Amino acid sequence: MAITFYYSPYSSAVRTHWALEELGIPYEGIRLDLKAGDQKKPELLKLNPNGKVPTLVVDDVPYFESAAINILLGEKYGVDKGLWPKAGTPAHGRAMSWTVWAAASLLSAGTRVMYNTSPEAPEEQKNAAQGEAARKEFDGLLDLLDAELKDKPYLTGDTFTLADALLAADLWWYQMVIVPSLARWPHLQAWVGRCMERPAFKRVSAG
Ligand SMILES: N[C@@H](CCC(=O)N[C@@H](CS)C(=O)NCC(=O)O)C(=O)O
């Protein structure tokens, strides 16, 4: 097995970096300088036509889109290690669904909140009404996540999985950019805290 991971810190690649560290499988990490445009170099575009991080190459097969990569990692290496549920179980349904929910539903609302309200976003692109609508949608999604975590410590039940890693990685970023306090969502807040206590996350967040 040969795995190459192209990444940049504080990016969508944290989702995959965390998963790789949890799995404890050998991989070569190649850090890209996004500002310098490393991700758009022809050799990188051949692996990831989207020109972004993360990109993962497993035994010469390239993968892009972090949710797809993490699902692949879970299916291929996570089941035996108890980090990804077995296909056909209710926990597997939850792990798949929350992974895609984070990448499609929550990220869509979160990105719109950021572009319409964050001080770092260009002023001329901001629209207050859209920002308000996106914030309502984003907060509502966190409400449902909070309710989901009311009776269980992790997204699929009693066990931490790579679905928790992916969504908690996003919450880490959201806390930095659009939701500094999670106090309104106590179950979600406690879950984020539990996930971030994990040594794998500590290694990744250290840079
Ligand atoms: N949906 C993609 C998003 C990837 C993405 O937007 N990556 C950003 C960093 S967070 C990037 O590489 N940006 C550099 C660029 O767009 O040139 C995924 O989850 O893999």
Side-chain angles (χ1 to χ4, degrees):
M1 158 178 77
I3 298 183
T4 311
F5 171 49
Y6 297 90
Y7 75 104
S8 170
Y10 301 103
S11 74
S12 303
V14 170
R15 292 166 156 188
T16 298
H17 202 173
W18 190 345
L20 285 165
E21 286 295 318
E22 290 286 350
L23 289 165
I25 50 180
Y27 67 93
E28 182 191 6
I30 299 184
R31 184 170 167 158
L32 301 186
D33 183 343
L34 299 185
K35 286 208 174 101
D38 288 353
Q39 72 282 13
K40 310 288 191 210
K41 288 184 176 159
E43 60 272 29
L44 263 299
L45 288 175
K46 253 192 227 164
L47 303 174
N48 178 349
N50 205 30
K52 295 179 190 294
V53 290
T55 299
L56 194 78
V57 182
V58 181
D59 293 332
D60 295 327
V61 180
Y63 297 86
F64 63 98
E65 283 297 328
S66 55
I69 292 172
N70 280 31
I71 289 170
L72 168 90
L73 288 173
E75 303 283 341
K76 206 168 161 76
Y77 307 107
V79 180
D80 289 352
K81 293 174 190 281
L83 285 163
W84 190 255
K86 222 171 142 203
T89 61
H92 184 261
R94 280 293 196 258
M96 293 285 286
S97 301
W98 285 116
T99 296
V100 174
W101 180 86
S105 302
L106 190 63
L107 186 65
S108 162
T111 306
R112 281 180 278 122
V113 173
M114 197 185 79
Y115 283 128
N116 286 293
T117 67
S118 156
E120 279 95 64
E123 282 308 317
E124 66 280 8
Q125 285 177 25
K126 286 184 188 166
N127 175 309
Q130 285 197 21
E132 206 177 307
R135 167 61 69 178
K136 209 168 156 204
E137 185 182 333
F138 184 80
D139 287 355
L141 291 172
L142 292 193
D143 286 344
L144 80 84
L145 184 56
D146 189 64
E148 181 77 12
L149 289 161
K150 190 167 174 236
D151 301 321
K152 53 181 182 274
Y154 296 107
L155 292 170
T156 61
D158 289 333
T159 318
F160 174 92
T161 69
L162 300 188
D164 295 285
L166 186 140
L167 193 44
D170 286 7
L171 263 299
W172 181 56
W173 181 72
Y174 290 132
Q175 283 181 274
M176 286 187 264
V177 292
I178 57 169
V179 60
S181 168
L182 293 176
R184 169 175 157 180
W185 301 281
H187 309 294
L188 167 59
Q189 187 176 39
W191 163 79
V192 169
R194 270 192 297 281
C195 293
M196 288 185 182
E197 276 307 306
R198 297 181 69 86
F201 175 73
K202 292 192 173 163
R203 287 195 296 278
V204 171
S205 58

